[in-house]
Amino acid sequence: FKSVVRKFGDERKNYDVGFVYYAGHGIQINNENFLLPTKEVFNSKYDVLDKALSVQNIMRYLTLKTNQVNVLILDACRDNPFEKNWTNQTRGDEKGRGLAKIPPPTGSLIAFSTNAGNTALDGNGKNSVYCESLARNFKLVNTSIDQVFRNVRSNVLELTNNLQTPVESSQL
């Protein structure tokens, strides 16, 4: 996981647009967001700190190219599926807070599949409701990226009966 992000960072300078899409679990510990690899076991928050990928590892490559377009999409549940198994936690800093807000650097758009503290729905198909809506809307011609994300938000709200609200933060 980390080596793929490093490869992206090494090659980012060769392209006009940086685009990262992540689908999976994401959690926050002490205001830092982490993306969780699927084949790891997280028995404590220290396992997350040691084995997960900090979103800051991706952000450092996006902030290097502020004169170009960067898009980071986090299709993450924004809950902590492991916290019920964590014992001897001295602080409740992870509990139910979802991912921390990430201010986008100039030239960037950061999108979340659901609002902070909420859970993204998996949907009934192979992909999440959010992913399927993104895929449909990315195919639209002559549509600005801002409009794409407005369409996705409207579509996801409709398909989830207002249970999931995608959000974006943009400095494009």
Side-chain angles (χ1 to χ4, degrees):
F1 196 12
K2 292 177 181 178
S3 66
V4 169
V5 170
R6 178 63 186 264
K7 184 177 178 187
F8 165 79
D10 290 344
E11 294 180 10
R12 174 64 188 97
K13 65 185 175 293
N14 301 322
Y15 299 93
D16 294 332
V17 175
F19 185 91
V20 177
Y21 174 85
Y22 171 81
H25 278 291
I27 64 173
Q28 173 193 164
I29 295 178
N30 299 329
N31 293 318
E32 186 174 358
N33 296 318
F34 292 90
L35 307 179
L36 306 182
T38 57
K39 296 186 180 183
E40 292 289 347
V41 176
F42 300 98
N43 293 315
S44 74
K45 70 179 181 180
Y46 301 108
D47 287 339
V48 173
L49 297 172
D50 292 338
K51 300 176 187 177
L53 176 74
S54 171
V55 173
Q56 286 308 115
N57 288 1
I58 299 169
M59 293 301 298
R60 69 180 172 193
Y61 298 117
L62 301 182
T63 57
L64 292 175
K65 289 292 189 175
T66 59
N67 61 334
Q68 296 180 342
V69 174
N70 295 294
V71 178
L72 172 61
I73 301 173
L74 299 175
D75 188 358
C77 294
R78 299 186 87 156
D79 66 346
N80 184 340
F82 303 102
E83 74 181 348
K84 65 181 178 289
N85 299 325
W86 292 1
T87 57
N88 301 321
Q89 295 293 314
T90 57
R91 297 175 55 196
D93 50 3
E94 305 84 16
K95 191 172 181 76
R97 291 180 54 194
L99 294 179
K101 290 184 178 183
I102 304 170
T106 300
S108 297
L109 180 142
I110 300 174
F112 295 93
S113 61
T114 191
N115 212 346
N118 293 325
T119 301
L121 303 174
D122 288 331
N124 298 321
K126 182 178 174 184
N127 297 305
S128 71
V129 172
Y130 182 76
C131 178
E132 289 179 2
S133 183
L134 269 176
R136 273 192 309 278
N137 281 284
F138 276 152
K139 292 179 184 177
L140 298 176
V141 294
N142 299 322
T143 305
S144 71
I145 193 161
D146 293 326
Q147 185 62 51
V148 165
F149 282 101
R150 284 193 296 273
N151 293 349
V152 168
R153 183 173 26 265
S154 176
N155 188 239
V156 169
L157 280 165
E158 180 182 337
L159 292 172
T160 64
N161 293 317
N162 296 321
L163 294 175
Q164 181 176 334
T165 305
V167 294
E168 311 78 45
S169 194
S170 178
Q171 288 293 327
L172 292 176

